[in-house]
Amino acid sequence: MTFDVYKAKERSPIIYLLSPMDNKNEIIGEIKSRTDKAFSLVFINSVNWNEDFSPYPYAEFSGGANIFLKNLLDRIPEIEKGIDIQFRILSGYSLSALFSIYAVLHSDAFKCIASQSASLWYPDFIDYLKNHTISKSLEYAYFSLGDKEKHTTNTLLSKVEDKTKEAELIFRENGIKTKFELNKGNHYKAVNMRIAKGIAWLLEQ
């Protein structure tokens, strides 16, 4: 795990974004174009995406989310040193968006999550979600998906929209304020913009 921190000059939320750092400036600019709220932003980069963000083993995914989450939580005091923080947001895209959901089933560290184009097709994950308790610290959850993501001949991936709506409903029924949004395009369309939209919505709550 490596990280890079953009620090606000004032007391504000801190966003933990599970994303490579090469899109840092674009994402910061996209967020600022959508909200005037101050924020700090931590780019968390995984060394092994399929291992670190998968909740349990399946095919090429080795199920190392529990280890990655522990490592992330252990690094928080170091990351946040010298930053005046209101609360934490965890944001991910694709498999790391699945991890953002996993994290609030096993940690009380985050007040908000943004789960964009999450890999909620992951076998048995909805049952896993139903069988775990969502953190009492969580107050807001944002979900989004491309409107073409379900249009695939892969029967597993074709369930992603139904599974995302089901996950959003589970969070809402647990008293969490949620938003589900469909964006135009497939899984790879305007990723930085989609990430920024979710984060901006959470900052405005």
Side-chain angles (χ1 to χ4, degrees), residues 162-176:
D162 290 340
K163 298 291 186 182
T164 301
K165 290 177 178 178
E166 191 172 356
E168 185 268 338
L169 178 61
I170 291 168
F171 276 78
R172 185 158 27 100
E173 289 179 340
N174 276 271
I176 295 153

Side-chain angles (χ1 to χ4, degrees), residues 70-128:
K70 182 182 184 304
N71 290 339
L72 174 59
L73 297 176
D74 287 346
R75 300 293 290 275
I76 282 178
E78 173 191 355
I79 292 169
E80 295 182 352
K81 188 175 182 179
I83 306 176
D84 193 3
I85 294 162
Q86 287 179 313
F87 57 85
R88 300 185 190 98
I89 296 170
L90 182 63
S91 176
Y93 196 92
S94 192
L95 192 61
S96 72
L98 186 72
F99 176 85
S100 71
I101 297 173
Y102 174 91
V104 295
L105 306 179
H106 299 281
S107 165
D108 294 324
F110 303 99
K111 179 180 177 180
C112 312
I113 60 168
S115 181
Q116 288 121 156
S117 287
S119 302
L120 281 158
W121 51 261
Y122 205 90
D124 302 321
F125 188 79
I126 293 298
D127 287 337
Y128 185 89

Side-chain angles (χ1 to χ4, degrees), residues 112-113 138-143 171 176-179 201-202:
C112 312
I113 60 168
L138 190 73
E139 296 183 17
Y140 300 93
Y142 174 92
F143 300 85
F171 276 78
I176 295 153
K177 184 175 180 181
T178 66
K179 180 174 182 177
W201 182 80
L202 292 169

